[in-house]
Amino acid sequence: MPELPEVETVKRGLEEVLLGETLRRVELRRPNLRFPFPRGFCARLQGERIEALTRRAKYLLLHLSSGEILVIHLGMSGRIAINKPQRDQGAADPKSPMRKVGSTSPAQESRPGQFVHEAGSHGKHDHVIFETGTGIQIVYNDARRFGFMDLIEANAMDRHKIFAHLGPEPLGNQMNAAYLADAAQGRTSDLKAFLMDQRNIAGLGNIYVCEALFRAGVSPLRKAASLASKAGKPLQRAQRLTDAIREVLEDAIEAGGSSLRDYRQTDGSLGYFQHGFEVYGREGEPCVRPGCTGQVLRKSQAGRSTFYCRICQK
DNA sequence: AAGCGAACCTGGCTGC
DNA sequence: TGCAGCCAGGTTCGCT
């Protein structure tokens, strides 16, 4: 489920184990994901120290001692699992050493043991394996292969094709009602599609756009331009939307974080925020807003399912 | 020029 | 049990 909160959760999970580590071995188990891996991929990574992990929109960034950045995008179905070396076998943790930090399926809880496998054996869609100097394994799994990886020069990042046209971070300072209203000025697309467009805001996807619009009480069917200010009217709608976006993302990150923290006691499932969805995936169910008699509707917009309540969202 | 649908690829679920 | 059809978190391309 890689929208911004999921990528952020993966970033935090990896940060705990990878910061300061050196990449000892990198193995590609196929020549490409969405795109071919860049030239010399493994050689450019091997021996490098990981100096920082950051996130930009839905991109995970590993900053290397060489001055390059390993860019990872999880696409629709990408996951990252951490496999720590087992010290005292049998005593401490009887369960799997696999620690799943990235999930792509909110609807499916992973079953106990799903990610258990012995070192050296890999699943069908385990495409990349990183191993550090201290024996930590990072496994990239991606059934649909819409994800990709690239290596870019850190000092040219902002000018890079991938990043040059991304809008502001929704949790950053640049994101506010005035920005949103201004960006939406004169735009004739539906508001839903506008919010999904990474050039306007970078990091939202289908789920969190639906959820944020519901929380804000704003209809996804509205034209984007209706966020813009007119005749000095306060940017009420844009303000509610800005707040809702921030809140839903923060709530989701927190939920991802908490499931990550208690992983050792559980089975590796991650991302309990799916239980907090108010409209996404709830077609036909009654609206959760107290007193509302409406039901959640589903409609296709720009090729994606929109979930919303016609009564609450105006 | 902006905006929309299709394409990329695999798997899971539903219904016959 | 099998199989067809539909749906899925994202991004990019090509046509209007």
Side-chain angles (χ1 to χ4, degrees):
Chain A
M1 160 204 250
E3 296 182 35
L4 185 153
E6 292 69 36
V7 180
E8 180 63 27
T9 299
V10 171
K11 191 213 89 174
R12 293 180 185 185
L14 287 177
E15 204 166 30
E16 279 182 37
V17 300
L18 281 189
L19 206 55
E21 288 283 317
T22 297
L23 294 170
R24 174 205 284 164
R25 196 179 69 88
V26 180
E27 178 186 346
L28 298 182
R29 312 189 79 240
R30 54 174 300 123
N32 64 300
L33 295 170
R34 181 187 178 91
F35 308 115
F37 288 96
R39 295 216 157 275
F41 185 75
C42 296
R44 285 156 75 183
L45 290 172
Q46 278 158 12
E48 293 305 317
R49 195 175 61 251
I50 297 161
E51 309 209 307
L53 289 93
T54 58
R55 175 190 60 72
R56 172 73 171 109
K58 300 169 193 170
Y59 296 89
L60 181 63
L61 308 173
L62 277 66
H63 302 250
L64 307 172
S65 43
S66 60
E68 288 196 299
I69 294 175
L70 170 58
V71 180
I72 300 177
H73 196 290
L74 301 172
M76 293 276 260
S77 55
R79 313 160 167 203
I80 290 179
I82 300 169
N83 187 1
K84 281 187 171 179
Q86 253 177 326
R87 309 265 166 194
D88 36 24
Q89 223 168 329
D93 185 0
K95 294 197 176 172
S96 160
M98 287 305 280
R99 179 170 180 237
K100 185 181 162 205
V101 299
S103 164
T104 55
S105 308
Q108 314 144 213
E109 295 290 331
S110 49
R111 296 188 307 277
Q114 187 178 352
F115 287 89
V116 175
H117 54 249
E118 290 145 40
S121 89
H122 296 290
K124 188 177 175 186
H125 300 295
D126 291 347
H127 303 311
V128 188
I129 295 136
F130 304 92
E131 197 178 307
T132 72
T134 57
I136 296 163
Q137 271 196 358
I138 306 298
V139 180
Y140 178 87
N141 177 293
D142 187 354
R144 294 176 73 180
R145 302 202 305 276
F146 288 170
F148 67 91
M149 297 188 193
D150 203 356
L151 278 165
I152 67 171
E153 286 293 330
N155 53 26
M157 178 181 146
D158 290 342
R159 273 154 291 290
H160 193 278
K161 186 183 168 185
I162 296 172
F163 302 102
H165 302 294
L166 287 179
E169 286 289 320
L171 296 177
N173 292 333
Q174 289 179 62
M175 172 63 182
N176 53 50
Y179 165 79
L180 209 57
D182 191 53
Q185 186 97 37
R187 304 295 292 273
T188 59
S189 68
D190 289 352
L191 179 54
K192 162 81 180 318
F194 172 83
L195 295 172
M196 294 277 290
D197 189 331
Q198 304 296 298
R199 290 169 298 188
N200 300 321
I201 311 175
L204 297 181
N206 203 33
I207 292 176
Y208 295 106
V209 166
C210 291
E211 293 297 318
L213 284 165
F214 177 76
R215 286 199 189 197
V218 175
S219 171
L221 309 180
R222 192 173 260 298
K223 293 297 167 194
S226 67
L227 284 187
S229 61
K230 44 182 178 192
K233 198 136 205 292
L235 308 168
Q236 226 181 58
R237 200 175 281 125
Q239 186 62 58
R240 270 187 293 146
L241 194 49
T242 307
D243 293 344
I245 288 168
R246 192 176 294 270
E247 284 166 21
V248 77
L249 294 178
E250 284 172 352
D251 287 354
I253 290 169
E254 197 175 331
S258 69
S259 70
L260 187 66
R261 271 194 293 284
D262 65 22
Y263 169 68
R264 281 164 187 279
Q265 287 98 304
T266 64
D267 62 13
S269 63
L270 169 69
Y272 290 108
F273 191 74
Q274 65 259 30
H275 303 305
F277 293 164
E278 292 179 307
V279 285
Y280 186 83
R282 289 183 173 271
E283 182 185 14
E285 293 182 32
C287 175
V288 299
R289 185 145 299 173
C292 181
T293 56
Q295 63 171 332
V296 177
L297 304 179
R298 179 160 74 107
K299 190 181 193 305
S300 189
Q301 284 182 290
R304 315 298 297 274
S305 284
T306 300
F307 298 89
Y308 69 108
C309 172
R310 184 163 49 191
I311 296 175
C312 295
Q313 297 176 253
K314 299 293 185 191

